[in-house]
Amino acid sequence: MKQLDLHGVSHYDVQDVVENWVLMNEPPLKIITGNSDRMKELTHKVLKEHKMQFYMPTHNTGETIVLRW
């Protein structure tokens, strides 16, 4: 499973980084957001805009798994 690590990415850049990456790769995908609630919110906003199915594993809420478009 391909993964994108958002550590070091500014909140300002999250929309473009996540959008470009998920649209250029086939699910399933892992996005590592860390524990920042704002980073999770921004990431999930992008995924919802593109009607992607995703979830946060209960064992690690610092990552999001994208299942499909």
Side-chain angles (χ1 to χ4, degrees), residues 18-50:
V18 171
E19 186 171 51
N20 288 337
W21 189 76
V22 296
L23 293 176
M24 295 184 73
N25 291 285
E26 288 289 323
L29 302 168
K30 181 188 293 187
I31 302 172
I32 301 170
T33 59
N35 292 318
S36 165
D37 288 334
R38 181 71 177 138
M39 190 66 78
K40 293 174 195 177
E41 179 183 311
L42 292 168
T43 298
H44 295 171
K45 180 179 178 232
V46 171
L47 299 175
K48 287 175 185 175
E49 286 174 357
H50 290 281

Side-chain angles (χ1 to χ4, degrees), residues 55-68:
Y55 72 97
M56 286 191 318
T58 56
H59 68 278
N60 185 356
T61 59
E63 66 184 31
T64 297
I65 307 298
V66 180
L67 299 172
R68 61 184 176 144

